[in-house]
């Protein structure tokens, strides 16, 4: 491991720390030590059981922030791994380990990019910052969202934010996420009346009452999408009802569904239209709506231009702007007015057994991050 590049050495050190969400296990301390050595001032921000930090270099001007998370998902059955998940190994040019792609590889590339950039430009324009949490892979209530609230109290505004989520599809840099759909979930209970299946006139089957409404929800065209987002989608993820007996009409049915929605709609419109369908079908229901994030979009601007240029120069490819996929912590940062992009390694193995990245991809990523800094702050 002593012959590895600085980025791969740091990525390996981070992978060795078993930081299963929401634990950090010293990852942030390692990053902060490196950042403080090149002039960053660090604020450690612990909310409940979650470690976070905000680090800044520079005295004034626009803020370019790297954002990311040190926590990883559980490994699953470790016997199914080719190599031990927290024992980083480079095998035939591939770095294996939990977090290699999501997202300790990106974190290492961010730190080494800053080390390279500061060495060349010690008196750079503006400020460089890090917003790092250990709460992204879990419930995400004491991490980035709390740090953003704290920044608001400090009157600090991020101008440009690069989130290190694994955005790439086939090769590093081929896709950058310049936005994400919103996510609105609902926990719904439809009430009926329990009874004997032989006497349905004495009962009210909530599944039968729900079915026509559910069919209408599934067939509804919620919007047509736009140039940046696909049409809003509705999906049922869970349905539970009954006692387990074949001769009992259930008294309730529980349903969980989700909207992934574009900028053509608001959460309020989705709630109102859904409940109008439920009312139309005469359902007796309770709904608990949970908004995980609003849609956001960085359609153009200096950050997009810098990323596109850096990817072309360092990776030798033309990148694609995309808003596909799930949510990320960018959903908490974009509402402050920041331009937000996600750029990281290939995502083919994230959350899987044998998570891995091409070793050379992390070095390319570090060079790309360095050039983005140069485009914006040199």
């Amino acid at each position: 491991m002593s012959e590895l590049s600085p980025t791969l050495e740091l990525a390996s050190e981070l992978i060795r720390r078993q930081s299963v969400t929401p634990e950090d296990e010293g990852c942030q301390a390692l990053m902060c030590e490196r950042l403080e050595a090149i002039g960053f001032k660090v604020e450690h921000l612990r909310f409940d059981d979650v470690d976070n930090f905000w680090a800044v270099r520079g005295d004034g001007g626009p803020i370019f922030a790297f954002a990311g998370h040190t926590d990883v998902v559980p490994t699953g059955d470790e016997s199914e791994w080719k190599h031990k998940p927290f024992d980083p190994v480079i095998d035939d040019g591939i770095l294996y380990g939990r977090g290699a792609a999501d997202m300790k590889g990106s974190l290492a590339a961010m730190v080494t990019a800053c080390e390279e950039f500061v060495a060349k430009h010690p008196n750079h324009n503006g400020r460089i910052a890090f917003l790092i949490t250990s709460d992204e892979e879990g419930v995400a209530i004491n991490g980035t969202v709390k740090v953003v609230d704290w920044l608001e109290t400090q009157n600090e505004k991020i101008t440009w934010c690069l989130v290190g989520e694994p955005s790439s599809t086939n090769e590093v840099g081929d896709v950058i996420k310049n936005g994400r759909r919103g996510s609105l979930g609902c926990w719904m209970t439809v009430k009926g009346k329990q009874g004997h299946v032989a006497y349905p006139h004495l009962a009210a089957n909530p599944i039968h009452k729900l079915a026509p409404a559910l069919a209408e929800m599934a067939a509804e065209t919620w919007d047509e999408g736009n140039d940046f987002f696909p049409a809003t989608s509705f999906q049922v993820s869970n349905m539970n009802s009954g006692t387990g007996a074949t001769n009992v009409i259930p008294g309730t049915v529980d349903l969980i569904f989700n909207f992934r929605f574009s900028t053509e709609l608001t959460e309020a419109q989705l709630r109102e239209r859904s409940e109008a369908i439920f009312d139309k079908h005469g359902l007796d229901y309770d709904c608990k709506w949970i908004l995980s994030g609003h849609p956001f979009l960085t359609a153009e601007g200096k950050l997009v231009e810098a990323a596109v240029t850096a990817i072309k120069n360092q990776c030798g490819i033309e990148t694609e702007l995309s808003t596909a996929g799930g949510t990320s912590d960018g959903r908490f940062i974009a509402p402050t007015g920041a331009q937000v992009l996600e750029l990281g390694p290939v995502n083919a193995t994230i959350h899987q057994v044998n998570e891995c990245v091409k070793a050379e991809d992390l070095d390319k990523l570090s060079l790309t991050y360095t050039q983005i800094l140069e485009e914006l702050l040199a």
Side-chain angles (χ1 to χ4, degrees), residues 191-209 241-253:
K191 304 169 189 175
K193 183 179 180 181
Q194 184 173 306
H196 196 295
V197 296
Y199 302 95
H201 60 289
L202 299 178
N205 193 320
I207 299 175
H208 293 187
K209 294 173 70 69
S241 187
T243 65
T246 63
N247 60 351
V248 179
I249 294 170
T252 61
V253 57

Side-chain angles (χ1 to χ4, degrees), residues 241-309:
S241 187
T243 65
T246 63
N247 60 351
V248 179
I249 294 170
T252 61
V253 57
D254 295 316
L255 185 74
I256 302 175
F257 60 85
N258 180 271
F259 288 102
R260 292 301 167 101
F261 63 102
S262 75
T263 49
E264 295 295 303
L265 289 172
T266 66
E267 56 160 321
Q269 289 173 318
L270 287 171
R271 291 199 311 266
E272 291 166 3
R273 288 173 60 181
S274 298
E275 292 178 3
I277 291 173
F278 303 150
D279 294 340
K280 170 185 170 183
H281 288 274
L283 300 184
D284 183 4
Y285 66 93
D286 292 319
C287 279
K288 179 183 180 182
W289 295 93
I290 303 293
L291 177 70
S292 297
H294 293 282
F296 67 89
L297 178 69
T298 301
E300 57 186 12
K302 289 184 177 180
L303 181 58
V304 170
E305 293 169 4
V308 169
T309 299

Side-chain angles (χ1 to χ4, degrees), residues 74-333:
T75 63
D77 185 351
E78 293 192 14
S79 68
E80 296 184 5
W81 284 70
K82 183 178 180 180
H83 304 284
K84 292 181 180 179
F86 296 109
D87 185 7
V89 172
I90 295 181
D91 183 353
D92 196 24
I94 305 295
L95 172 64
Y96 289 88
R98 176 57 88 219
D102 190 12
M103 59 174 287
K104 292 181 176 181
S106 296
L107 296 179
M110 292 172 181
V111 171
T112 58
C114 285
E115 290 171 339
E116 181 71 16
F117 177 75
V118 167
K120 293 180 180 178
H121 309 282
N123 300 311
H124 58 79
N125 298 320
R127 290 172 284 174
I128 313 170
F130 278 72
L131 193 170
I132 306 297
T133 183
S134 61
D135 187 37
E136 197 274 345
E137 297 290 9
V139 292
I141 58 174
N142 291 307
T144 300
V145 64
K146 290 282 182 70
V147 178
V148 169
D149 289 343
W150 177 82
L151 288 173
E152 290 291 305
T153 69
Q154 306 298 307
N155 295 315
E156 288 282 26
K157 289 285 188 182
I158 297 172
T159 310
W160 307 293
C161 182
L162 193 153
V163 186
E165 289 293 341
S167 63
S168 305
T169 302
N170 297 309
E171 56 182 317
V172 67
D174 62 354
V175 176
I176 53 178
K177 300 294 176 68
N178 66 324
R180 292 280 191 167
R181 294 175 294 175
S183 178
L184 177 65
C186 183
W187 279 250
M188 181 182 185
T189 297
V190 179
K191 304 169 189 175
K193 183 179 180 181
Q194 184 173 306
H196 196 295
V197 296
Y199 302 95
H201 60 289
L202 299 178
N205 193 320
I207 299 175
H208 293 187
K209 294 173 70 69
L210 172 63
L214 198 56
E216 184 170 341
M217 292 282 287
E220 179 77 359
T221 299
W222 299 95
D223 63 31
E224 300 290 346
N226 54 38
D227 289 343
F228 299 100
F229 291 93
T232 292
S233 68
F234 164 81
Q235 289 292 321
V236 174
S237 55
N238 290 268
M239 183 183 289
N240 297 285
S241 187
T243 65
T246 63
N247 60 351
V248 179
I249 294 170
T252 61
V253 57
D254 295 316
L255 185 74
I256 302 175
F257 60 85
N258 180 271
F259 288 102
R260 292 301 167 101
F261 63 102
S262 75
T263 49
E264 295 295 303
L265 289 172
T266 66
E267 56 160 321
Q269 289 173 318
L270 287 171
R271 291 199 311 266
E272 291 166 3
R273 288 173 60 181
S274 298
E275 292 178 3
I277 291 173
F278 303 150
D279 294 340
K280 170 185 170 183
H281 288 274
L283 300 184
D284 183 4
Y285 66 93
D286 292 319
C287 279
K288 179 183 180 182
W289 295 93
I290 303 293
L291 177 70
S292 297
H294 293 282
F296 67 89
L297 178 69
T298 301
E300 57 186 12
K302 289 184 177 180
L303 181 58
V304 170
E305 293 169 4
V308 169
T309 299
I311 290 168
K312 185 174 183 179
N313 290 342
Q314 302 301 330
C315 303
I317 57 175
E318 300 287 345
T319 192
E320 173 191 350
L321 299 177
S322 171
T323 61
T327 59
S328 77
D329 275 1
R331 69 190 188 272
F332 303 126
I333 301 167

